């Protein structure tokens, strides 16, 4: 059995701004805490986010696969564990486990990242990382998150046009990765929101900078599965694609 105590841990209480209209933990807030936990893990190894920025380095999230086992609620005390599984080529792999105060797992996630040169916006080899990142490849929640691609024949319809503004961007100068979960949830129906989310998979294809517009498209729900696509309004291609599975889906 995996001993979580050996991994970096972020303990916190779910606050009002991290909860939805049902007082349930929002997926985007969970993704944001995952980023904070990853930054905290690296900081414990010897390099902070600000120091990486000073050296012209940054992280680009490529894919997320989040499974919600048991919904968490407002004011619930939780612990978020994370660890690096090492790298494959230019990909860095990192897993997460969220537990409640009793130690029961309530969510799991697998992610893939690239270390990038912020000036050239190009991926770097793992050897460019200034500090040694301790890895636990023997402890894995699964394979590299799959690339989400809308299946052929699935029809989408435009449901929203979103403009990235001040509140959506972060220190990397583009829309924060956690906000993509909001783009999906904001385009669910009341019935779908009431069902709740079991799994959310996102593939990130290009950055969205402040004042850029994204056209959101989605499919109808089929067997509890909904596919999303974000397209750049200036015709520069696909921004992201996502697959969302509702509770009760087969």
């Amino acid at each position: 059995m995996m001993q979580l105590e050996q991994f970096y841990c972020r303990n916190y209480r779910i606050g009002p701004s991290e909860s939805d209209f049902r007082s349930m933990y929002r997926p985007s807030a969970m993704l944001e805490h995952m980023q904070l936990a990853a930054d905290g893990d690296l900081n414990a190894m010897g390099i902070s986010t600000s120091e990486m920025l000073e050296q012209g380095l940054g992280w680009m999230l490529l894919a997320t696969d989040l499974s919600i086992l048991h919904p968490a609620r407002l004011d619930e005390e939780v612990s978020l564990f994370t660890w690096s599984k090492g790298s494959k080529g230019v990909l860095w792999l990192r897993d997460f486990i969220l537990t409640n105060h009793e130690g029961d797992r309530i969510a799991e996630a697998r992610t893939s990242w690239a270390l990038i040169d912020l000036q050239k916006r190009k991926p770097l080899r793992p050897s460019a990382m200034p500090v040694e990142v301790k890895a636990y490849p023997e402890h894995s929640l699964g394979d590299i998150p799959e690339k989400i691609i809308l299946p052929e024949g699935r029809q989408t319809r435009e449901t929203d046009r979103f403009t990235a503004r001040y509140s959506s961007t972060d220190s990397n100068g583009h829309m924060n990765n956690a906000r993509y979960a909001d783009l999906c949830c904001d385009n669910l129906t009341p019935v779908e929101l009431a069902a709740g989310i079991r799994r959310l998979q996102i593939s990130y294809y290009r950055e969205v900078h402040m004042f850029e517009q994204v056209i959101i498209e989605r499919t109808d729900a089929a067997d509890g599965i909904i596919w999303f696509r974000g397209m750049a309004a200036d015709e520069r291609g696909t921004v992201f694609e996502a697959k969302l599975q509702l509770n009760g889906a087969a």
Side-chain angles (χ1 to χ4, degrees), residues 13-227:
R13 183 188 297 271
I14 298 170
S17 65
E18 299 166 336
S19 308
D20 66 13
F21 66 102
R22 301 168 302 161
S23 294
M24 307 303 291
Y25 194 17
R26 289 188 293 109
S28 61
M30 200 178 309
L31 296 184
E32 189 167 353
H33 274 286
M34 285 166 49
Q35 293 177 37
L36 293 172
D39 290 342
D41 192 19
L42 290 174
N43 188 67
M45 295 179 192
I47 189 165
S48 66
T49 302
S50 59
E51 288 171 335
M52 289 189 65
L53 290 173
E54 290 171 359
Q55 297 181 40
L57 301 174
W59 293 103
M60 179 180 291
L61 182 58
L62 302 176
T64 295
D65 188 339
L66 169 67
S67 294
I68 301 174
L69 310 177
H70 302 286
R73 300 186 62 86
L74 171 67
D75 282 335
E76 190 167 351
E77 294 182 353
V78 294
S79 297
L80 180 59
F81 297 87
T82 186
W83 64 99
S84 170
K85 296 191 295 188
S87 58
K88 290 186 178 181
V90 298
L91 294 182
W92 291 79
L93 308 178
R94 177 172 286 276
D95 285 355
F96 300 83
I97 291 177
L98 184 70
T99 68
N100 60 21
H101 70 283
E102 296 176 345
D104 300 321
R105 295 191 189 189
I106 55 180
E108 299 178 348
R110 293 176 289 121
T111 59
S112 61
W113 307 71
L115 180 68
I116 62 168
D117 182 314
L118 291 176
Q119 183 175 6
K120 298 179 180 178
R121 313 307 292 184
K122 291 184 177 180
L124 299 169
R125 302 292 298 179
S127 57
M129 188 64 186
V131 298
E132 181 181 358
V133 177
K134 187 174 182 180
Y136 301 85
E138 69 277 13
H139 297 298
S140 176
L141 298 178
D143 295 332
I144 299 172
E146 65 177 301
K147 185 177 182 179
I148 301 302
I149 300 176
L150 184 71
E152 290 187 15
R154 295 300 301 270
Q155 297 297 314
T156 63
R157 65 182 188 279
E158 180 180 331
T159 54
D160 193 15
R161 293 202 172 210
F162 172 83
T163 300
R165 300 192 185 279
Y166 172 85
S167 61
S168 305
T169 55
D170 60 19
S171 58
N172 288 315
H174 56 72
M175 188 165 75
N176 185 269
N177 299 315
R179 301 282 75 78
Y180 291 78
D182 285 332
L183 294 185
C184 295
C185 294
D186 283 346
N187 287 279
L188 295 176
T189 68
V191 172
E192 291 163 350
L193 287 170
I197 298 168
R198 178 192 295 182
R199 187 177 182 185
L200 179 59
Q201 298 165 265
I202 308 174
S203 292
Y204 306 87
Y205 296 128
R206 65 173 295 271
E207 298 171 343
V208 177
H209 295 92
M210 197 182 302
F211 304 120
E212 287 187 336
Q213 190 176 69
V214 181
I215 299 170
I216 311 300
E217 301 174 352
R218 58 157 288 179
T219 66
D220 290 332
D223 298 323
I225 303 294
I226 306 167
W227 301 81

